Amino acid sequence: MKRFVHAHATHPQWSVATAQVVAQLRAQMAAHPDRRWPLGLLYLTDHYADHARELLASLSAELPQVTDWAGAVALGIAAQGVEYIDEPALSVMLCDLEPTRYRVFHGLAPLPAARGPDGFVPQTALVHADPATPELPELVRELAERTVGHFVFGGLVASRAGAVQIARSSRVGLAGHGQAAAEGVWEGGLSGVAWAPDVGIVARVTQGVRAITPLRRVTAVHGHRVEALDGEPALDVVLRDLGLPAHDLGAIVARLRGTLVGWVAPAAARTPAPPVPGRVPLRLGEDVLVRHLVGIDPAQRALVVADELPPGAGWMLCERHVHAARADLLRIGAEVRETLAGESDADPLQRVAGAVYVSCNGRGGPHFGGANAELQLLRQALGDVPLVGFFAAGEIAHHRLYGYTGVLTVFVADADER
């Protein structure tokens, strides 16, 4: 695996943008005539959704060496240092990987458990999912369990065109698999690419919020309804932590409308060193899941959260915060560099073959201070590495669904092939 090639373009006409991308890719590929590019990662904004099948067919015809494709249609997509949000654009990365080192999967050709019939063993997987899929958290968890690393990454695909996904595999015969398999464009369910254990991958999650209240414990809960924190009525604890008057319902609603809940699984489940109760953390860890606070019950002094919290879960209120988001994004870039530097004497950024970045629809440049600001920060942290990705309606990392996060996955070039 050597450094990947990538290209991106914007134009009102999908055919013109596609031609521009093909020209860019061919120029890069011409410099490496001995290399193979069997896998393409493709992301489109929904301005091209009606032409997704034609666009994929055009790319396949112009780049016949690319036999497998995966990707999605979204409101916004990412490229190296650039965000295309609510404008017609596509972003493509071609991966120099032997076909034995990955598998494209979709609803008619799902990822097999542990080891496929051809001996393929998935280490991890890039996942695109329809947010309307029933029992989605359980499906993501099950998919992660099918990998050796019990780790997947990706996001929930949502756009004005629906949950359109791209998954075409040369390994799946067209007979009996219908028109969708032939065209490679799907709606609904899960799809993506699984990676073999010998594909070097470094992944990190960055949170886009900061805690504004101390850590509490959920001591009484019924489904989405949190009734007590630290043994006291939940609403009373929240009002005290935020310094809100108990009698002013209008002020309470106004303050909580922009407030999020960060929760952590009970210590006995997956938290070996839980935060100290009563302390506001300086940074939210990857074990914190951020969800919307969707209602209050003044009579019963309870709150309603857009998730089912287990008894004993950690609880803190959060808010979106630009400076915290910027600092945390730079942090994960530094962690990637440090990880790669610890494995070799070579320049760590020269070891990056390519990257996939999935960010929340609620993030993007405007949240970071200007157009393209989020991707420019990532470029500052990683350098000019090939990168594609999209803005999601929810992010996937480990075996969980996140919100207001960015999920960065870096592919590490083989030691003898940089």
Side-chain angles (χ1 to χ4, degrees):
M1 179 171 66
K2 300 179 182 179
R3 178 159 287 206
F4 302 158
V5 296
H6 76 297
H8 53 93
T10 176
H11 194 277
Q13 298 181 34
W14 69 267
S15 56
V16 175
T18 301
Q20 292 174 354
V21 163
V22 168
Q24 295 173 51
L25 292 173
R26 282 177 173 167
Q28 297 173 60
M29 296 161 69
H32 307 282
D34 58 327
R35 292 167 63 179
R36 300 179 61 191
W37 316 94
L39 175 64
L41 300 182
L42 167 63
Y43 295 98
L44 322 171
T45 61
D46 58 8
H47 292 71
Y48 297 154
D50 291 342
H51 302 283
R53 290 170 176 81
E54 299 164 84
L55 192 154
L56 179 57
S58 177
L59 284 173
S60 298
E62 295 291 341
L63 303 168
Q65 58 272 72
V66 184
T67 57
D68 304 297
W69 292 91
V73 175
L75 287 170
I77 62 173
Q80 184 193 77
V82 181
E83 305 160 15
Y84 295 106
I85 299 177
D86 197 21
E87 62 178 310
L90 72 155
S91 180
V92 178
M93 184 164 71
L94 304 185
C95 306
D96 178 21
L97 280 171
E98 290 296 324
T100 56
R101 303 176 75 180
Y102 68 86
R103 289 291 182 278
V104 174
F105 62 90
H106 50 71
L108 295 181
L111 183 66
R115 184 185 292 270
D118 58 356
F120 177 77
V121 178
Q123 171 196 202
T124 183
L126 166 62
V127 181
H128 309 114
D130 179 355
T133 302
E135 300 181 344
L136 183 57
E138 290 76 13
L139 290 176
V140 170
R141 190 177 303 113
E142 178 187 346
L143 189 64
E145 290 172 354
R146 289 172 177 253
T147 69
V148 173
H150 296 279
F151 181 100
V152 294
F153 61 93
L156 307 187
V157 178
S159 73
R160 288 163 294 201
V164 181
Q165 302 164 44
I166 296 163
R168 176 189 283 180
S169 172
S170 59
R171 291 179 171 271
V172 178
L174 301 183
H177 284 84
Q179 190 67 21
E183 296 174 339
V185 178
W186 307 80
E187 291 190 43
L190 284 71
S191 67
V193 187
W195 314 94
D198 63 347
V199 176
I201 287 176
V202 179
R204 291 291 186 275
V205 175
T206 175
Q207 302 275 16
V209 299
R210 70 171 181 180
I212 56 174
T213 65
L215 179 73
R216 306 295 183 187
R217 290 290 170 187
V218 175
T219 50
V221 61
H222 185 72
H224 294 257
R225 180 188 176 90
V226 177
E227 298 170 346
L229 298 171
D230 292 344
E232 299 181 60
L235 182 57
D236 293 345
V237 174
V238 165
L239 296 183
R240 185 169 66 246
D241 283 345
L242 293 177
L244 294 172
H247 61 277
D248 192 343
L249 183 60
I252 294 171
V253 171
R255 181 68 174 87
L256 295 183
R257 184 173 287 125
T259 302
L260 303 163
V261 174
W263 73 273
V264 187
R270 302 190 69 88
T271 312
V276 178
R279 179 181 299 172
V280 178
L282 297 177
R283 181 181 68 81
L284 301 186
E286 294 182 11
D287 56 344
V288 177
L289 304 179
V290 178
R291 299 292 186 261
H292 286 285
L293 182 61
V294 296
I296 62 174
D297 183 345
Q300 300 299 319
R301 317 306 292 167
L303 299 108
V304 182
V305 183
D307 202 351
E308 293 190 12
L309 277 60
W315 160 293
M316 65 191 81
L317 294 184
C318 308
E319 66 180 6
R320 298 177 64 197
H321 193 269
V322 59
H323 297 302
R326 290 172 62 93
D328 205 45
L329 185 57
L330 292 174
R331 173 192 63 82
I332 66 169
E335 287 186 2
V336 169
R337 294 197 306 272
E338 290 170 4
T339 298
L340 298 181
E343 297 176 352
S344 170
D345 294 332
D347 179 351
L349 296 185
Q350 292 301 312
R351 303 188 61 213
V352 177
V356 174
Y357 186 60
V358 180
S359 188
C360 178
N361 279 331
R363 290 165 58 98
H367 177 58
F368 284 79
N372 304 313
E374 183 174 10
L375 270 295
Q376 288 290 344
L377 281 170
L378 203 55
R379 187 175 188 174
Q380 176 183 334
L382 293 179
D384 291 327
V385 303
L387 181 146
V388 294
F390 69 105
F391 290 86
E395 300 73 62
I396 298 172
H398 304 285
H399 58 278
R400 308 184 183 101
L401 298 179
Y402 285 82
Y404 296 99
T405 59
V407 179
L408 172 65
T409 305
V410 169
F411 297 88
V412 185
D414 296 333
D416 58 345
E417 293 190 347
R418 290 191 289 274

